[in-house]
Amino acid sequence: MPNNSNPTKRGGSNPQIGEVMSKLHLFSNARAMQSFMQSQERGFLPKCMLLGEFFAEVIVVRGKVKIPSFLRKIFLIEVLKEFNFTQKDLELLFFERNFLGFLETSPFLLQFFNELNQHKLSIKDIPQKDIYGDYEDHLRVLEEIEERYEQKLGDRGFYDFAKEYEILDEYLSAFREIEIYLDGFLSPYEKEILEKISSKVPLFFHLNIDRYNQKHFEFLCKLEPDYSYKISFPSGEIVEKIPHRLLALPKAYGCELRVEQCSFVLQRIEEWLEEGIEAEKIAVILPKEDFKDFLLATDRVRNLNFAMGFEYEGLKKEIETLALQEGGGLEEFIQRVRECEIPQSLGVSIDEILYAYERIGEVMRTLSFKEIAYLFLEEIENLRLDDSKGGKVRVVGVLETRGMELERAIIVDFNQENIPKITQSDMFLNSKIRSALSIPTLQDREELQKHYYLEIFKRTQRVELVYIEGHLAPFAKEVGVKSFERNNYTLFAKGKEIVYKEDEITLFLDREFRFSASNVKMFRECKRKFYWRYLKKLKESEEEGSVALSVGSLLHHFLFLAYSQNPSGAKEVFERLVFEEIERGSDELVKMELGLALRYMQHFFKIQSKNPKILELEREFEFMSEGFRLWGRVDRIEEIEGRVRVLDYKLGKSNTIEPIQSAFYGLYAREKYPSFPVEVGFYFINGKKLCLDNKLEEHIAELKTLLKEMIEEREFEKCTTRSSCRECIYKILCNR
């Protein structure tokens, strides 16, 4: 007798079970699917899947299988290692010709290829108007890399993106209806697949529409904001339309410090639990995941459960140690990993990666032991341990809130720099090109994130926002938030109030003081800051410099070496030094900025004399001028057509001359070369512009006046504009 009790088959022995199981529910994310299933009444749960998993099941590419995500980099790296890059290609794409360089670059390339495929575009479709001169060569290289990558996958029986596919009718035959709960963009490629499926099974979209996502679904039919829809696809027939509005306007609370927000969060949770709100219906939402460190440190009773989990540093450290050792290759690496202490919850994920490595052993054996270790480190970077010891109040990121129904929620860090916060990680397509290709732009992604926040407000009975005072996100007022209060909770008992007492000025300048452009400029901007720094000698702590400072220092040094070694061939020497630094450097941002600066410097060398008469390079000077001891350093002094020119290199784009610095240079050059007329110039590297100081006499006169004022100064008053105090390291001393 045949067994007809299988509930997944249409027409099973139990009509009610068959009815439930023959309708498929698809979701954009796991959290929305989980919330949907928890909301169901007792009995058989409906058939639910993630949309991505459904596509993987229903799409067939004959003779090939979908490549696991963690193997994609391996095949792309193999292509990059074999690719015959010219020096120009390397300069265009900032590739390093080594394994670690390719490993770091591969995610950008894979993201780029995937996004074009999702929008049914090829690299040839990218417009080449209004772009920089080498863009066509840039695209040619990318196109060839993609072709070789797809060919290499095909040779191994894999595919990454199913450009030619079939719909598996047998799989669809189990369902009489498919309902899709969308919360995000739908790409042209996904629309194409769903249109083909809709010809075989009735298909419906569930959408929550607001002003931020309305235009993205206008391809269906005319939609109104603040409604939930059920729409037949692709006909666009509206099956259901229900109001979907704010349950209540959020309230906003200001804090002075990030850690102070924790006092508000913990106190509110305690109050809500005492009111009888279920812990599972409360959430703390983090626009930036690093805020969890503050919550971990202050949640002493462990009410919180961190949905994002925790990194397992133990395994990473063991693999990092392996990467420093010599080994015998793939087999030994796998054996050494299995000897590591691996938590049970991560065991399956680790086994999947190692099994995949064994499956493509022929490719993996071309890598060294160290390269395999670095590759493995990349793959386990995002593995997380569940928060098994936490409470029931969930701490989640914004994306994890999609589909959640809550009674209470607190969103911390509701600051303008976080909301919306979109990482611009695309190396290849700017917003103008994206718009021309109908690919979501940065603005589109910002609006999508606003949609996610608005959904939190609409799905939660009460939402409270916490922000740093003076930094509230404009989005709060955009959605109508009107209640703004000060956070009165505190983590610590209030300390004894300290009454500020003005410092007595006891130190003054004399003629032995070494005046420099920087300290004179500081005196002009804020006399009290000058007093703290140069008379009281309260220096800022030594910290690692910014990227701009690092790049600027390197460029100055390379220009010094280039013109010292070979003034007539300085361009070639400079380029060689920059390329060597890019090759051996470890900071990717510094290397990228160096590559950009190298392009901009082409203009500098074009306007230089072929045989410059260099008088001084990177020279420190000190001399007396009208009784004042002046000190500084010049980048370069040269003789040009009977004139002496002092030249200062600036990394930025600005063409604004610094008058005090110019005056120092002018006075020094006149002291050193009294028989020559003197001029001072500034070359702005990123701005590709040489600016000569046409008001040198006026600036020298201003400097002399300032020097006399500094000697006579007795009050050292604070600056009148408090805005400049915000980033000042002495603001506490000044009670600002």
Side-chain angles (χ1 to χ4, degrees), residues 157-347:
F158 289 119
Y159 72 90
D160 189 358
F161 198 90
K163 295 181 180 179
E164 297 179 3
Y165 60 88
E166 299 174 20
I167 301 296
L168 190 60
D169 292 346
E170 293 85 350
Y171 182 80
L172 292 176
S173 65
F175 308 111
R176 64 173 179 81
E177 184 179 303
I178 298 175
E179 299 196 7
I180 304 177
Y181 299 79
L182 285 175
D183 206 349
F185 299 137
L186 197 62
S187 73
Y189 176 75
E190 292 168 330
K191 290 178 196 173
E192 176 188 271
I193 296 172
L194 293 175
E195 282 181 9
K196 292 180 179 180
I197 291 171
S198 68
S199 66
K200 306 172 189 298
V201 183
L203 197 151
F204 299 91
F205 287 165
H206 288 264
L207 302 168
N208 293 326
I209 299 298
D210 54 49
R211 55 181 152 160
Y212 300 112
N213 70 344
Q214 183 179 4
K215 69 177 182 180
H216 297 295
F217 294 103
E218 287 177 346
F219 68 90
L220 289 168
C221 59
K222 186 176 180 180
L223 300 169
E224 295 180 60
D226 299 321
Y227 282 92
S228 291
Y229 289 90
K230 179 179 178 181
I231 300 174
S232 176
F233 180 77
S235 70
E237 178 189 352
I238 297 175
V239 178
E240 191 174 78
K241 178 181 177 182
I242 301 172
H244 183 57
R245 299 186 174 91
L246 287 174
L247 298 176
L249 279 175
K251 293 183 178 181
Y253 297 84
C255 299
E256 287 188 7
L257 303 171
R258 284 189 88 194
V259 69
E260 187 186 336
Q261 298 176 83
C262 296
S263 63
F264 182 89
V265 170
L266 299 176
Q267 184 64 37
R268 272 290 191 263
I269 289 172
E270 185 177 333
E271 291 173 1
W272 290 338
L273 292 174
E274 288 177 357
E275 289 174 14
I277 305 295
E278 293 180 26
E280 294 89 342
K281 292 293 184 180
I282 302 173
V284 182
I285 300 163
L286 313 185
K288 291 181 68 178
E289 190 174 313
D290 65 350
F291 192 82
K292 77 174 184 181
D293 295 332
F294 291 106
L295 293 173
L296 270 171
T298 54
D299 179 28
R300 288 172 291 183
V301 295
R302 288 311 311 267
N303 274 323
L304 303 178
N305 187 287
F306 296 86
M308 64 284 295
F310 304 103
E311 291 185 22
Y312 181 59
E313 294 295 337
L315 180 60
K316 287 175 64 176
K317 288 179 180 177
E318 289 189 70
I319 303 302
E320 286 169 357
T321 303
L322 283 181
L324 299 175
Q325 301 173 6
E326 296 297 326
L330 176 63
E331 287 74 15
E332 183 177 343
F333 177 79
I334 291 175
Q335 180 183 343
R336 301 275 285 274
V337 171
R338 295 196 188 283
E339 291 171 358
C340 295
E341 186 177 339
I342 300 173
Q344 186 176 357
S345 60
L346 301 182

Side-chain angles (χ1 to χ4, degrees), residues 120-137:
K120 297 176 64 61
L121 297 167
S122 71
I123 292 176
K124 290 185 176 70
D125 296 319
I126 297 175
Q128 296 178 20
K129 296 178 181 178
D130 302 320
I131 40 91
Y132 58 83
D134 294 321
Y135 196 69
E136 188 174 350
D137 292 331

Side-chain angles (χ1 to χ4, degrees), residues 319-381:
I319 303 302
E320 286 169 357
T321 303
L322 283 181
L324 299 175
Q325 301 173 6
E326 296 297 326
L330 176 63
E331 287 74 15
E332 183 177 343
F333 177 79
I334 291 175
Q335 180 183 343
R336 301 275 285 274
V337 171
R338 295 196 188 283
E339 291 171 358
C340 295
E341 186 177 339
I342 300 173
Q344 186 176 357
S345 60
L346 301 182
V348 174
S349 299
I350 299 295
D351 284 341
E352 285 179 355
I353 296 171
L354 296 178
Y355 172 73
Y357 285 179
E358 289 176 326
R359 184 180 173 189
I360 57 166
E362 184 180 342
V363 176
M364 295 298 295
R365 290 185 186 94
T366 65
L367 304 178
S368 69
F369 185 87
K370 183 177 292 188
E371 288 172 343
I372 297 172
Y374 280 122
L375 188 66
F376 186 75
L377 272 173
E378 282 270 316
E379 297 307 330
I380 66 173
E381 180 68 31

Side-chain angles (χ1 to χ4, degrees), residues 677-691:
V678 169
E679 64 183 21
V680 177
F682 296 83
Y683 185 80
F684 297 92
I685 294 174
N686 290 350
K688 297 190 289 188
K689 189 170 184 179
L690 173 64
C691 297

Side-chain angles (χ1 to χ4, degrees), residues 407-471:
E407 291 188 30
R408 300 288 186 272
I410 302 172
I411 307 178
V412 298
D413 275 345
F414 209 84
N415 307 328
Q416 57 192 12
E417 62 270 20
N418 297 333
I419 299 168
K421 184 178 179 62
I422 302 295
T423 303
Q424 178 58 284
S425 58
D426 191 343
M427 295 169 62
F428 309 113
L429 301 177
N430 59 35
S431 288
K432 188 173 183 179
I433 294 174
R434 286 175 165 275
S435 182
L437 294 172
S438 298
I439 297 176
T441 62
L442 191 65
Q443 182 180 351
D444 292 328
R445 285 187 278 173
E446 287 179 349
E447 289 184 347
L448 180 61
Q449 195 174 91
K450 288 181 178 180
H451 161 73
Y452 293 148
Y453 280 106
L454 191 54
E455 278 297 294
I456 296 170
F457 299 164
K458 290 181 176 182
R459 290 175 174 270
T460 308
Q461 293 178 15
R462 178 174 168 183
V463 179
E464 298 192 334
L465 316 175
V466 197
Y467 64 96
I468 301 300
E469 290 178 336
H471 295 268

Side-chain angles (χ1 to χ4, degrees), residues 590-622:
V590 169
K591 292 194 291 184
M592 185 186 77
E593 291 291 342
L594 280 174
L596 288 171
L598 184 60
R599 288 188 190 176
Y600 298 141
M601 285 297 291
Q602 302 307 309
H603 177 265
F604 172 80
F605 289 113
K606 281 181 183 178
I607 65 173
Q608 294 300 297
S609 169
K610 291 185 178 179
N611 293 291
K613 188 175 181 181
I614 305 293
L615 302 177
E616 298 182 29
L617 286 171
E618 294 291 336
R619 176 68 60 84
E620 189 173 301
F621 61 79
E622 184 172 333

